[in-house]
């Protein structure tokens, strides 16, 4: 076999865990309530027709989520299920949220911790077979496989230099330099400000907060 055939075979093996035909409910973040102008803040992508866990309130709680798209392809319904209901069989009552394609909503806060409550807005679209995810300031991605190679189930992202106000005066800023994500946290003292920066990227690791779901999580740009 010549080299190009070997390369092709290896590429097929490498790609075989990625299933095509997946769709995402994509929420593009905007600073303004008309979803025009500056792209800024927390955005989300949720795989459609799949049951997966999202933890919230800083990981204190987990719910399973499932997004379904109506026949028109214009209305996506996000339903929530108990943490133990890993096949998404019995929806929690009053937890359905409908998002219409092309419309603008307050950012939902899926997967955010209490400290990082988003204040931005999101524009709704449906993305087919996304092949590459752009570089953001930070991205936390959930996978169903231990190599984090399959199609993401869910991800939350912050655009570069997204800031969150914490306890009114303190703030936290998320950004990416040379493909490494960082968080700078700044605390206000008596007329002083002290800041420290930590890397926020991480390897693919089992998300033990989602015990029932057997999910893996990777943090990146
Ligand atoms: C989508 O849902 C809204 C209500 O949330 C409804 O008014 C609208 O007609 C629906 N659109 C389609 C195409 O089903
Ligand atoms: C993100 O922001 C950081 C800090 O301001 C900057 O150094 C970096 O170049 C920015 N990245 C992109 C892709 O714009």
């Amino acid at each position: 076999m010549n080299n190009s055939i070997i390369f092709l075979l290896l590429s097929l093996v490498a790609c075989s865990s990625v299933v095509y035909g997946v769709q995402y409910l994509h929420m593009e973040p905007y600073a303004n309530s008309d979803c025009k102008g500056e792209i800024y803040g927390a955005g989300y992508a949720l795989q459609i027709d799949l049951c997966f866990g999202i933890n919230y309130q800083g990981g204190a709680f987990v719910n399973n989520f499932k997004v379904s798209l109506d026949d028109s392809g214009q209305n996506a319904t996000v339903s929530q299920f108990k943490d133990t209901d890993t096949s998404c069989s019995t929806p929690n009552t009053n937890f359905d949220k409908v998002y219409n394609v092309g419309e603008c909503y307050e950012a939902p806060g899926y997967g955010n911790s209490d400290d990082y409550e988003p204040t931005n807005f999101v524009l709704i679209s449906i993305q087919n077979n996304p092949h590459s995810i752009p570089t953001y300031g930070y991205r936390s991605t959930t996978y169903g496989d231990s190599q984090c190679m399959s199609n993401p189930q869910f991800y939350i992202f912050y655009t570069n230099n997204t800031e969150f106000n914490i306890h009114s005066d303190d703030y936290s800023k998320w950004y990416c330099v040379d493909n490494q994500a960082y968080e700078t946290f700044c605390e206000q003292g008596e007329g002083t400000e002290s800041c420290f920066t930590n890397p926020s990227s991480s390897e693919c690791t089992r998300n033990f907060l989602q015990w029932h779901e057997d999910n893996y999580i990777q943090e990146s740009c």
Side-chain angles (χ1 to χ4, degrees), residues 160-205:
N160 208 27
N161 293 307
T162 292
E163 266 184 42
F164 295 94
N165 287 320
I166 300 169
H167 318 133
S168 73
D169 285 343
D170 305 337
Y171 64 92
S172 155
K173 185 164 151 175
W174 300 73
Y175 58 96
C176 173
V177 179
D178 293 336
N179 223 28
Q180 166 71 54
Y182 297 93
E183 178 190 9
T184 294
F185 179 78
C186 294
E187 233 170 356
Q188 311 298 322
E190 297 283 325
T192 60
E193 178 180 87
S194 61
C195 297
F196 51 93
T197 296
N198 283 317
S200 56
S201 295
S202 72
E203 302 287 306
C204 182
T205 35

Side-chain angles (χ1 to χ4, degrees), residues 14-59:
C15 293
S16 60
S17 60
V18 177
V19 179
Y20 294 101
V22 290
Q23 288 187 308
Y24 289 87
L25 170 61
H26 183 85
M27 303 187 178
E28 187 73 359
Y30 285 84
N32 300 320
S33 59
D34 59 359
C35 286
K36 294 196 169 102
E38 191 194 359
I39 291 179
Y40 174 87
Y44 310 81
L46 296 85
Q47 199 183 128
I48 291 170
D49 281 336
L50 186 73
C51 183
F52 52 85
I54 295 179
N55 45 279
Y56 57 101
Q57 291 188 9

Side-chain angles (χ1 to χ4, degrees), residues 70 72 74-75 98 100:
D70 74 351
S72 73
Q74 297 300 300
N75 280 4
V98 175
N100 296 320

Side-chain angles (χ1 to χ4, degrees), residues 117-192:
E117 207 56 60
T119 54
N120 59 277
F121 297 83
V122 291
L123 182 65
I124 303 304
S125 63
I126 304 299
Q127 291 195 349
N128 295 308
N129 300 330
H131 289 288
S132 65
I133 300 170
T135 297
Y136 298 108
Y138 170 77
R139 173 160 58 98
S140 172
T141 310
T142 302
Y143 295 88
D145 73 294
S146 62
Q147 304 297 310
C148 295
M149 293 279 287
S150 52
N151 294 304
Q153 298 177 331
F154 164 73
Y155 56 88
I156 176 170
F157 59 89
Y158 303 149
T159 59
N160 208 27
N161 293 307
T162 292
E163 266 184 42
F164 295 94
N165 287 320
I166 300 169
H167 318 133
S168 73
D169 285 343
D170 305 337
Y171 64 92
S172 155
K173 185 164 151 175
W174 300 73
Y175 58 96
C176 173
V177 179
D178 293 336
N179 223 28
Q180 166 71 54
Y182 297 93
E183 178 190 9
T184 294
F185 179 78
C186 294
E187 233 170 356
Q188 311 298 322
E190 297 283 325
T192 60

